Amino acid sequence: MEDKQDISRQKRKSRLVMPDTYVILFLVLLVAYIATYIIPSGSFERENVDGVEKVIPDTYQSMDGNSLGFLDFFNAIQTGMVESADIIFLILFTGGMFEIIERSGALKGLINQAVRLTRGNEFWLIASVSTIFALIGAVGAVANAVIAFVMVGVIIARALKLDPIVAAAITFGSNFVGFSVGFLNPYTVGIAQDIAGLPIFSGLLFRIIIFILMLSLTIAYIWRYAKKIIENPELSIVGTYEATNEMDSLNAPFTKRHQLILIFVALCLSFFVYGSIQLEWTINHMSAFFIFIALGSGIIAGMHYNTLAETFLHGAKNLIYGALVVGLARSVIVILEEAMIIDTIVYALSVPLENLIPVFSAIGMFISNSLLNFLVNSGSGQAMIAMPLLTPLADMIGVTRQVAVQSYQFGDGLTNLIFPTSGILMASLAVAKVPYTKWLKWVFPLFLVWLVIAIIALIIGVLIQWGPM
């Protein structure tokens, strides 16, 4: 009798297993498809200003949209994969590049040295890495490219005998602390302020204060979890990385060749950041440059050409799961675009704000942009859609344009931590091998902390009439 009860419990547990990331995204895609039969089609008029397409406020009109058929649903998946091909191959080439660098032993030797130096003070290693990635995010040096650096977090987490969540948190998570404030980000705050007619990077001091507060609390949250795992690995939500004799050894050599490889990679990545900002490199340029770094690192490491090719392909193969997730996430937007209902959703989000008092209007702008980020993950793209609407709206309701810009920035940044339609999130989790549902369970309390800070900052901004200082 007891055996039958145990079998029954096991069956119930198997039914309650959280769905895979692909299942979640497929369900989101299905909801989007159904929404095309409920939400009317419509569009704003747009104009090109200096080569940039901007929405013209008060021009929304309903119109007859495209009726999507049964096959259009599945065709959206194919289209999403094609439209995301640049990011998909960036992820695959990133995996190949880091596999070669890791196989050379250079990163392992460097990180083992760092672990030895901070033994007993692991907090400082985690805090330092988190701060570096947060600053990188704040200046817009990497956005999609943060995916490439998650593997650094993986190697650090392995060396410290931590888990994949810590690997993703100190790289991707910390990067979006900076991105969400964006005090020197030309692609989000810079564009938004330009549209709003504000001096570029004005309001810097207040944003830096917000950044320091968010980063401090984020590091404390990550360390609290990491410390529990160090003391008891069974407390990990996803399980610690499997230990190997090779990874357990902190006596791995750090040779001159290893140093040469890392110097080469550091110089390349520095130029990579320069190219992204100054030369306006596209994702295709980044992918091509990662191939160059992979080849150069393999040659310096003395790899046989067959070994180099096999290692690169092995690294790419490990990230296929995460790469294709990006395409499936994009397919949701394909459905909404083909049915011409994105502008309708944007219009519906903006209308209620006109009747609120300034403090609530600022919070409403933030919430509206957060919801919009589910549909439009591009920071600059969202700025082009939202800011032409928020700027005149802010003037009408008594909210300063600086507050409107930060409402957009918080809305664009914070929800990247949780929305499954964010290709960067899903790809970063795949690199670290963190199931989306486990990540959501871990990060949601931190997201709520960020949410409270953002709301308080916006309220203060309204009360002090935060202007273009």
Side-chain angles (χ1 to χ4, degrees), residues 1-190:
M1 183 71 176
E2 290 181 0
D3 290 342
K4 289 182 178 178
Q5 289 176 345
D6 289 340
I7 292 171
S8 177
R9 287 195 200 100
Q10 289 176 358
K11 285 182 177 179
R12 282 199 299 270
K13 285 183 178 178
S14 65
R15 293 193 191 103
L16 295 174
V17 171
M18 291 299 292
D20 184 82
T21 299
Y22 280 85
V23 175
I24 293 171
L25 283 176
F26 188 84
L27 292 175
V28 172
L29 180 64
L30 184 60
V31 169
Y33 178 75
I34 294 171
T36 65
Y37 289 93
I38 301 172
I39 300 174
S41 301
S43 178
F44 287 102
E45 293 181 15
R46 288 166 166 82
E47 61 180 349
N48 275 313
V49 179
D50 297 327
V52 176
E53 188 180 70
K54 298 182 180 180
V55 170
I56 303 175
D58 301 321
T59 59
Y60 174 81
Q61 291 183 352
S62 298
M63 59 178 57
D64 293 331
N66 299 320
S67 179
L68 302 184
F70 174 75
L71 282 180
D72 290 325
F73 174 81
F74 295 97
N75 189 53
I77 299 175
Q78 162 69 6
T79 304
M81 295 291 176
V82 172
E83 292 185 0
S84 303
D86 52 355
I87 298 179
I88 289 173
F89 282 104
L90 172 69
I91 295 166
L92 296 179
F93 294 163
T94 296
M97 176 188 70
F98 270 100
E99 185 71 18
I100 288 173
I101 297 170
E102 185 178 3
R103 193 78 64 90
S104 73
L107 269 178
K108 193 183 306 163
L110 175 66
I111 290 171
N112 283 346
Q113 278 208 337
V115 171
R116 281 198 298 271
L117 291 172
T118 57
R119 186 182 283 274
N121 292 294
E122 291 85 355
F123 167 79
W124 294 111
L125 181 59
I126 289 175
S128 299
V129 173
S130 298
T131 301
I132 290 170
F133 277 99
L135 287 171
I136 290 172
V139 301
V142 295
N144 293 331
V146 72
I147 300 164
F149 296 97
V150 173
M151 191 59 72
V152 174
V154 171
I155 297 170
I156 292 172
R158 279 177 175 164
L160 295 177
K161 297 182 175 63
L162 295 171
D163 71 0
I165 284 179
V166 176
I170 62 177
T171 49
F172 167 82
S174 297
N175 183 260
F176 272 89
V177 173
F179 184 88
S180 297
V181 181
F183 54 82
L184 285 177
N185 190 331
Y187 308 113
T188 54
V189 168

Side-chain angles (χ1 to χ4, degrees), residues 56 73 138 209 237 255 335-336 358 365 372 456:
I56 303 175
F73 174 81
I209 294 171
I237 295 176
T255 65
I335 285 283
L336 300 179
M365 287 179 180
L372 179 60
I456 292 173

Side-chain angles (χ1 to χ4, degrees), residues 235-446:
L235 294 177
S236 168
I237 295 176
V238 294
T240 56
Y241 283 109
E242 292 182 10
T244 64
N245 292 333
E246 187 181 12
M247 286 305 304
D248 284 341
S249 174
L250 294 181
N251 298 314
F254 189 47
T255 65
K256 296 284 188 182
R257 178 172 287 193
H258 291 158
Q259 294 174 27
L260 187 59
I261 291 171
L262 292 177
I263 291 171
F264 169 75
V265 172
L267 289 173
C268 287
L269 291 179
S270 298
F271 187 76
F272 164 77
V273 172
Y274 171 80
S276 300
I277 298 174
Q278 297 296 328
L279 305 181
E280 299 182 352
W281 277 6
T282 65
I283 289 176
N284 291 335
H285 288 99
M286 297 178 192
S287 299
F289 199 60
F290 286 166
I291 296 174
F292 169 74
I293 295 175
L295 288 173
S297 301
I299 291 169
I300 297 172
M303 288 185 179
H304 187 273
Y305 48 80
N306 283 340
T307 303
L308 197 157
E310 290 168 2
T311 303
F312 186 87
L313 291 172
H314 180 74
K317 183 179 70 175
N318 287 339
L319 296 189
I320 286 177
Y321 180 96
L324 296 184
V325 159
V326 176
L328 188 57
R330 173 63 191 169
S331 65
V332 176
I333 310 305
V334 170
I335 285 283
L336 300 179
E337 286 178 343
E338 289 186 352
M340 300 177 67
I341 64 173
I342 285 184
D343 281 6
T344 303
I345 296 172
V346 171
Y347 176 71
L349 291 173
S350 66
V351 169
L353 301 179
E354 298 177 3
N355 301 316
L356 299 176
I357 63 174
V359 166
F360 290 125
S361 293
I363 297 172
M365 287 179 180
F366 166 45
I367 294 172
S368 296
N369 276 280
S370 298
L371 296 174
L372 179 60
N373 196 42
F374 187 86
L375 308 176
V376 184
N377 290 134
S378 165
S380 56
Q382 189 173 333
M384 296 304 172
I385 294 174
M387 287 313 302
L389 301 175
L390 294 182
T391 300
L393 182 62
D395 294 340
M396 287 189 296
I397 60 181
V399 171
T400 67
R401 293 187 177 190
Q402 197 73 266
V403 172
V405 168
Q406 197 58 42
S407 298
Y408 143 76
Q409 182 64 23
F410 280 145
D412 175 49
L414 300 188
T415 50
N416 283 299
L417 221 60
I418 60 171
F419 279 170
T421 51
S422 169
I424 302 173
L425 166 64
M426 305 310 282
S428 297
L429 295 184
V431 172
K433 293 183 167 51
V434 181
Y436 170 73
T437 49
K438 299 289 187 182
W439 169 259
L440 189 62
K441 177 182 178 181
W442 179 83
V443 85
F444 198 72
L446 178 61

